[in-house]
């Protein structure tokens, strides 16, 4: 994390898994934004999203690409992480019954201290696809809100529709 912070590589909107940041920071930021909107007599639209099965949903090839291009990792550090992600196998044990061993092609390992860091690196650029709205992140929880200062119903409808698309997992700018 030191490298990521020293080089300002983690989004300033991410409060999860970081020293001196907590849910309070995110709540304070959101509360300030809401108070400003109320002071300006704005309507506030918000969507609060949770990435289901967050660690299991990490696309490893996409993560590897981001490690090299966005986080400028190369050499031994990159190859060490790449090795960490390769050849992951597991099985399920439930009430003493075991499944067969399976190979996992996506996701980062549960329970590893490296996995939360890799996860926030993977979703770090999600803020880049959110336009005309405010955003806050805490690990796999995302808050997106908008407070249009216009009384035009068309503008408010546009903001509402964008947040609706985000909450449905679609974003067209």
């Amino acid at each position: 994390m030191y490298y990521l912070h020293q080089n300002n590589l983690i989004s300033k909107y991410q409060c999860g898994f970081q020293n001196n940041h907590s849910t309070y920071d995110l709540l304070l930021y959101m509360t300030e934004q809401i108070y400003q909107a109320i002071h300006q007599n704005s309507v506030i639209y918000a969507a609060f999203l949770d990435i289901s099965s967050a660690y299991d949903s990490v696309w490893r090839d996409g993560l590897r690409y981001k490690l090299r291009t966005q986080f400028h990792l190369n050499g031994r550090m990159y190859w060490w992480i790449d090795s960490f992600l390769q050849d992951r196998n597991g099985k399920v044990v439930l009430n003493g019954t075991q499944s067969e061993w399976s190979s996992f092609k996506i996701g980062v390992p549960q329970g590893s201290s490296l996995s939360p860091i890799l996860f926030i690196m993977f979703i770090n650029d999600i803020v880049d696809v959110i336009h005309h709205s405010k955003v806050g992140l805490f690990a796999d929880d995302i808050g997106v809100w908008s407070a249009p200062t216009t009384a035009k119903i068309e503008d408010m409808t546009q903001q509402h529709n964008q947040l609706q698309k985000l909450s449905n997992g679609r974003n067209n700018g």
Side-chain angles (χ1 to χ4, degrees), residues 55-124:
Y55 287 5
D56 296 333
S57 65
V58 173
W59 176 42
R60 290 185 195 164
D61 288 339
L63 175 60
R64 288 179 181 105
Y65 176 78
K66 290 178 180 188
L67 291 174
R68 289 189 313 272
T69 60
Q70 294 176 15
F71 298 100
H72 316 291
L73 291 180
N74 51 45
R76 289 183 182 176
M77 179 58 74
Y78 172 79
W79 293 113
W80 184 81
I81 293 172
D82 182 61
S83 176
F84 173 76
L85 295 172
Q86 289 181 17
D87 302 322
R88 288 287 171 177
N89 298 302
K91 63 181 175 178
V92 176
V93 178
L94 180 64
N95 294 330
T97 304
Q98 298 182 19
S99 69
E100 297 293 321
W101 284 94
S102 295
S103 176
F104 298 111
K105 303 292 183 198
I106 60 171
V108 293
Q110 300 279 337
S112 165
S113 58
L114 183 58
S115 293
I117 297 167
L118 293 175
F119 177 77
I120 65 171
M121 291 171 80
F122 181 68
I123 67 162
N124 191 61

Side-chain angles (χ1 to χ4, degrees), residues 5-170:
H5 286 287
Q6 286 299 110
N7 293 288
N8 295 316
L9 296 173
I10 295 295
S11 171
K12 66 182 180 180
Y13 303 108
Q14 176 62 263
C15 293
F17 307 123
Q18 299 195 61
N19 291 333
N20 302 316
H21 289 286
S22 70
T23 53
Y24 295 119
D25 295 304
L26 181 55
L27 289 172
L28 180 61
Y29 173 63
M30 291 174 67
T31 303
E32 288 174 352
Q33 297 293 314
I34 291 169
Y35 279 134
Q36 285 179 5
I38 291 170
H39 182 69
Q40 296 172 349
N41 292 323
S42 295
V43 175
I44 300 166
Y45 299 105
F48 297 93
L49 314 169
D50 178 69
I51 300 173
S52 61
S53 302
Y55 287 5
D56 296 333
S57 65
V58 173
W59 176 42
R60 290 185 195 164
D61 288 339
L63 175 60
R64 288 179 181 105
Y65 176 78
K66 290 178 180 188
L67 291 174
R68 289 189 313 272
T69 60
Q70 294 176 15
F71 298 100
H72 316 291
L73 291 180
N74 51 45
R76 289 183 182 176
M77 179 58 74
Y78 172 79
W79 293 113
W80 184 81
I81 293 172
D82 182 61
S83 176
F84 173 76
L85 295 172
Q86 289 181 17
D87 302 322
R88 288 287 171 177
N89 298 302
K91 63 181 175 178
V92 176
V93 178
L94 180 64
N95 294 330
T97 304
Q98 298 182 19
S99 69
E100 297 293 321
W101 284 94
S102 295
S103 176
F104 298 111
K105 303 292 183 198
I106 60 171
V108 293
Q110 300 279 337
S112 165
S113 58
L114 183 58
S115 293
I117 297 167
L118 293 175
F119 177 77
I120 65 171
M121 291 171 80
F122 181 68
I123 67 162
N124 191 61
D125 58 355
I126 196 168
V127 298
D128 298 338
V129 299
I130 299 172
H131 306 286
H132 314 296
S133 297
K134 304 287 185 182
V135 64
L137 303 161
F138 190 86
D140 66 335
D141 297 315
I142 303 168
V144 182
W145 63 95
S146 177
T149 57
T150 178
K152 292 182 184 176
I153 193 71
E154 298 85 15
D155 292 342
M156 290 188 283
T157 301
Q158 179 185 16
Q159 294 291 315
H160 178 266
N161 290 340
Q162 181 186 12
L163 290 174
Q164 189 64 43
K165 286 179 185 178
L166 287 168
S167 68
N168 290 333
R170 299 183 318 266

